Amino acid sequence: MDSLGVIGILGSGSWATALAKIILGTQTRINWFVRRSEKIKAFQQTGHNPDYLTSVHFDKKRICFFSDSDLNAFFRASDTVVLVTPSPFIKTYLKRLRSSSLKDKLIINAIKGIVPDENVLISDYLEHEMEIPRHMIGAVAGPCHAEEVAKNRLSYLTVGCFDKAKAELFAQALRTDFTFCAVSNDVVGIEYASVLKNVYAIAAGICNGLQYGDNFQSVLMSNAISEMNRFVNTVHLVDRDITDSVYLGDLLVTAYSQYSRNRTFGNMIGKGYSVKAAQMEMEMIAEGYYGAKCVREVNKRFRVNMPIMDTVYEILYEKRVPNEAITALTRHFK
């Protein structure tokens, strides 16, 4: 594979819209799967996503839209597919595909979550359940909020592929005047870091809601990156630098940014909202809610010491009182 061919984007949320903007900065055209046909119609009438990043206008002539009834056609028409749906939905989409629709495709995971119930990374699910060759699977992540992409603010991404040459190939499609893109072969580490940073951002939000200050938040993040490092080195030991932007940088921006939905979700929990009430009030999914449960299940096998992740899980799923839980957590820090 010496060319990306036509790139297809599966998903229509804010991150999918941001990636579409970036990719159209380097590619002639894209395929775009937008589930609801009425949303496609509104998009074609206005020239922008009707629900997310509405300030970003697109040249509609360079986009071929596919709706829910055209899922297999979307995959067949795309040579490289970027998965950007919320993690709870990805298995439903993939299960609907015919094997011929996936043949010889480069699949890039841009979902910052794990396959729920299965408790496996999306790359593992693609390889073992969908029978996609490992060298045709990759992931993209980094400290890159969609809202800042919309404003052309300088952002950094990393593409990981088991075949590093393919990582470089896709990275070229993401390098614009305002986006830098590094490459890596650490697909597993990048995917787990993307999940964990959302869990830690919920922790940061809970602490903010409880009115812990900046001093404590810095200690929380110092311990979070150490916890992340312990976990990813246990489940997938490779030569990585945890201070690289795809690990530490993504953790920091997700924990501190006003745009972070996971921090917002945690903040509401810290202020006394129930999990259900916080979810109902938010317009977007906080992936860290699902990630906490999945990583908790995965860690039953590895038994890594993860007090922050465990605390978030207990607050979200076992109804532990946030103030009491965080107070106990502080005793683990130094």
Side-chain angles (χ1 to χ4, degrees):
M1 184 179 189
D2 55 5
S3 170
L4 295 173
V6 178
I7 298 175
I9 296 176
L10 182 76
S12 58
S14 59
W15 184 220
T17 306
L19 284 172
K21 174 183 175 175
I22 293 170
I23 291 169
L24 281 170
T26 64
Q27 306 297 299
T28 303
R29 65 188 182 93
I30 62 170
N31 294 331
W32 197 343
F33 178 87
V34 177
R35 184 174 62 86
R36 291 161 43 209
S37 57
E38 64 269 23
K39 187 171 180 176
I40 293 175
K41 184 177 181 180
F43 206 132
Q44 291 173 327
Q45 289 174 339
T46 64
H48 63 76
N49 188 325
D51 297 327
Y52 301 99
L53 304 188
T54 56
S55 65
V56 178
H57 285 264
F58 292 90
D59 181 352
K60 296 172 289 183
K61 296 177 182 178
R62 298 171 62 197
I63 302 172
C64 183
F65 288 103
F66 294 80
S67 66
D68 195 51
S69 61
D70 303 322
L71 181 64
N72 278 277
F74 163 78
F75 271 85
R76 286 196 302 270
S78 305
D79 303 293
T80 298
V81 177
V82 187
L83 307 178
V84 211
T85 67
S87 62
F89 307 145
I90 188 59
K91 186 168 69 171
T92 302
Y93 284 124
L94 293 176
K95 285 291 187 181
R96 291 171 52 195
L97 295 176
R98 293 186 288 272
S99 59
S100 60
S101 300
L102 294 171
K103 187 178 180 181
D104 301 326
K105 310 294 182 187
L106 176 62
I107 309 295
I108 303 293
N109 171 33
I111 302 169
K112 300 171 182 180
I114 291 179
V115 181
D117 300 325
E118 305 286 339
N119 299 319
V120 297
L121 292 175
I122 289 168
S123 62
D124 286 336
Y125 190 85
L126 292 170
E127 180 181 4
H128 300 299
E129 296 296 327
M130 305 307 298
E131 300 182 347
I132 297 172
R134 204 174 212 227
H135 69 276
M136 298 298 285
I137 298 170
V140 60
C144 188
H145 276 302
E147 293 81 0
E148 297 210 339
V149 170
K151 299 176 181 178
N152 287 7
R153 290 181 175 170
L154 191 61
S155 302
Y156 291 74
L157 289 164
T158 297
V159 175
C161 287
F162 294 107
D163 179 347
K164 204 168 180 179
K166 290 185 176 62
E168 176 58 35
L169 195 62
F170 188 69
Q172 292 174 18
L174 300 178
R175 292 177 180 141
T176 69
D177 292 341
F178 61 94
T179 51
F180 288 90
C181 192
V183 296
S184 169
N185 60 2
D186 184 23
V187 177
V188 173
I190 288 171
E191 285 187 297
Y192 269 126
S194 294
V195 175
L196 285 169
K197 58 101 176 184
N198 285 331
V199 178
Y200 299 140
I202 290 177
I206 291 171
C207 293
N208 185 69
L210 292 170
Q211 298 188 339
Y212 282 80
D214 293 343
N215 294 341
F216 178 75
Q217 291 281 11
S218 68
V219 175
L220 176 66
M221 289 303 102
S222 296
N223 281 268
I225 195 63
S226 295
E227 186 171 300
M228 179 189 290
N229 196 37
R230 285 196 301 273
F231 183 80
V232 295
N233 281 338
T234 300
V235 300
H236 186 63
L237 183 60
V238 297
D239 183 18
R240 70 170 64 85
D241 185 347
I242 203 67
T243 65
D244 283 351
S245 64
V246 73
Y247 311 109
L248 178 59
D250 205 5
L251 168 65
L252 293 177
V253 76
T254 311
Y256 290 148
S257 176
Q258 62 177 318
Y259 299 121
S260 171
R261 66 191 70 173
N262 289 281
R263 177 185 167 88
T264 299
F265 176 72
N267 186 59
M268 294 168 74
I269 299 298
K271 288 184 174 180
Y273 283 72
S274 68
V275 169
K276 185 174 182 179
Q279 289 174 323
M280 290 178 64
E281 186 156 322
M282 291 186 64
E283 295 182 358
M284 296 183 287
I285 289 175
E287 287 280 9
Y289 171 75
Y290 302 96
K293 184 177 182 180
C294 293
V295 174
R296 173 87 162 200
E297 291 299 313
V298 172
N299 198 37
K300 287 180 179 179
R301 178 157 52 103
F302 295 101
R303 299 182 181 278
V304 178
N305 179 33
M306 304 184 75
I308 303 174
M309 194 278 297
D310 287 337
T311 298
V312 173
Y313 174 85
E314 290 162 4
I315 291 171
L316 299 182
Y317 289 93
E318 297 181 348
K319 298 183 179 181
R320 192 174 179 189
V321 177
N323 190 39
E324 294 177 2
I326 298 300
T327 298
L329 178 64
T330 64
R331 302 189 183 108
H332 290 271
F333 297 163
K334 59 183 179 181

